[in-house]
Amino acid sequence: SYNTVLSCLAKARRRRQAQELFKKMLKQGVRPTVTTVGALIHGHARMGDLETVRALPPPNQSNQTLS
């Protein structure tokens, strides 16, 4: 799932790849969940990139899962 891959990329400090995957996900019409945005926040914040954290879109508040 997107969440799993984004989380792994964040933990590996590969924020650029995580951000590219996130953009691809959005282009495909997949809405981010709280878990998705949380993984990105974690990765960017670990690297001190708070500007990107502030620019992230709000998560989808429903309990939808990502494929």
Side-chain angles (χ1 to χ4, degrees):
S1 79
Y2 282 110
N3 289 341
T4 302
V5 176
L6 287 170
S7 182
C8 288
L9 289 170
K11 287 178 185 175
R13 296 178 182 245
R14 296 169 71 177
R15 65 182 177 169
R16 187 175 306 197
Q17 288 177 304
Q19 193 65 30
E20 288 172 9
L21 179 61
F22 184 69
K23 288 179 184 178
K24 180 180 176 180
M25 181 188 88
L26 293 176
K27 282 184 182 179
Q28 292 177 347
V30 179
R31 294 175 62 194
T33 64
V34 172
T35 304
T36 311
V37 175
L40 288 172
I41 288 171
H42 177 76
H44 287 289
R46 273 181 83 181
M47 302 295 289
D49 185 7
L50 299 181
E51 188 173 316
T52 299
V53 170
R54 288 185 192 105
L56 290 172
N60 177 14
Q61 295 299 319
S62 73
N63 289 328
Q64 291 178 320
T65 57
L66 299 178
S67 349

